[in-house]
Amino acid sequence: ELYIVFDHGELLSEVPADVPVHIFERRNTAKIGKLPGAGFRLRARDLASVLDERQIHVIYDRTYHMTMLTAAATRLRPTPRISVIVTDPKLDFETNPEKFRMIKRRLLRNSYRDADIVAAVSDGVRIAAADYHRIPLNRIETVYNFYDVDQIDRMSREKLPGKDERSKDHFRVVAAGRLHRQKGFKLLIE
């Protein structure tokens, strides 16, 4: 399943019809207030409701904006969370125009610290993330080739072990982010 904020993205038309897509922009009927953080809080509550309604077992994010959102949502509806860091966070965060930069940096640091799994795509990114966010290096795993499609296919056919078994019929994961090629969603869609 996919959760996205806006009703657009270059890959949106390529999402298979049998993949549920939850779009905040369509789901939200409340007026977003003008106070700082009002929209963020609405999105976090909406994502938490998707996690609950759809009985999502794991949530995955790979952009720092979605890391902050998924962290807030999983505080409301506890769900195991995997956060992936794909670029040097200092370069990524400090080169993007951000309002309330210091507040967001603290939120982001706490979001990564609270994740069940934090993965980086290289040792360089891992070390940079640990330094920038002040996360113990042993809390970040390096996963060089994050997608092993053959392994994913094999594992999708395996039974979950004992206490991890959620349903005999299906296992639900939601990925949160913008549907752009550089975000890796093309592989998820395929």
Side-chain angles (χ1 to χ4, degrees), residues 27-175:
R27 292 171 48 88
N28 180 52
T29 56
K31 185 175 180 176
I32 297 176
K34 294 184 180 185
L35 291 174
F40 177 81
R41 286 187 297 277
L42 269 177
R43 288 187 291 275
R45 283 194 300 268
D46 184 60
L47 178 52
S49 72
V50 169
L51 297 174
D52 191 50
E53 292 163 11
R54 300 296 298 166
Q55 299 177 10
I56 300 301
H57 300 117
V58 177
I59 187 161
Y60 161 90
D61 62 70
R62 70 184 273 128
T63 67
Y64 74 83
H65 291 100
M66 293 310 287
T67 296
M68 290 185 289
L69 182 61
T70 61
T74 58
R75 284 185 202 103
L76 298 171
R77 198 286 193 163
T79 305
R81 182 167 58 88
I82 302 168
S83 292
V84 178
I85 304 171
V86 297
T87 189
D88 181 327
K90 182 176 183 177
L91 295 175
D92 193 23
F93 186 73
E94 293 184 6
T95 59
N96 276 306
E98 290 292 340
K99 295 178 184 176
F100 313 108
R101 183 177 299 280
M102 294 308 293
I103 294 169
K104 285 184 179 176
R105 185 167 177 198
R106 189 178 73 239
L107 280 172
L108 191 55
R109 177 179 299 128
N110 291 335
S111 296
Y112 284 122
R113 286 180 179 171
D114 293 346
D116 294 278
I117 296 172
V118 179
V121 297
S122 71
D123 283 332
V125 169
R126 177 177 173 246
I127 292 165
D131 181 54
Y132 189 73
H133 294 301
R134 291 186 268 170
I135 303 168
L137 200 54
N138 65 356
R139 281 276 297 126
I140 305 172
E141 300 291 328
T142 301
V143 182
Y144 295 100
N145 184 359
F146 195 75
Y147 300 104
D148 180 341
V149 177
D150 292 334
Q151 182 182 14
I152 292 169
D153 285 341
R154 276 192 311 277
M155 291 175 71
S156 72
R157 292 186 291 273
E158 294 175 6
K159 184 178 177 182
L160 291 172
K163 66 178 178 111
D164 290 334
E165 188 170 344
R166 307 282 191 238
S167 167
K168 293 180 192 244
D169 300 322
H170 57 272
F171 180 76
R172 293 186 174 149
V173 175
V174 65

